[in-house]
Amino acid sequence: MGVQRKKIKVILIDVTKRIVEEVEIFDELKEYYRLIDCNTVTTAMFDEQHDVILDDESLMKPLKNFFSFPGNEEDGYCGNGIIVSFDEKGN
């Protein structure tokens, strides 16, 4: 039997379209690449249960759009992002 693909809900921050929306994707690296339109990713801690997945090469691209979170505007992020949650085991 094959491995069951797990679906997760994430928050997509699309800086080009200027939208924030919840989407459901497969919990796979290629899905992160597709959703934020990139080839490499990095993560930043959002809080104790969430990370932001970002385009690791966004600062090298010609069009640079940024976003930040209310109350933490000094930490700006370049490019699209995905907020994902995790549990105490990192899942």
Side-chain angles (χ1 to χ4, degrees), residues 10-17 19-21 23 25-26 28-44 51-59 61 63 65 67 77-84:
V10 302
I11 303 296
L12 170 63
I13 302 165
D14 188 319
V15 295
T16 305
K17 295 179 183 174
I19 59 170
V20 176
E21 64 181 339
V23 295
I25 63 171
F26 287 108
E28 299 171 352
L29 187 57
K30 67 181 180 180
E31 286 281 276
Y32 299 151
Y33 293 156
R34 178 188 63 78
L35 200 56
I36 59 177
D37 190 26
C38 69
N39 296 310
T40 60
V41 295
T42 190
T43 61
D51 280 340
V52 183
I53 298 175
L54 304 157
D55 179 356
D56 194 39
E57 299 176 334
S58 59
L59 289 172
K61 294 182 178 176
L63 181 60
N65 293 310
F67 69 93
Y77 302 99
C78 184
N80 297 329
I82 304 170
I83 300 174
V84 296

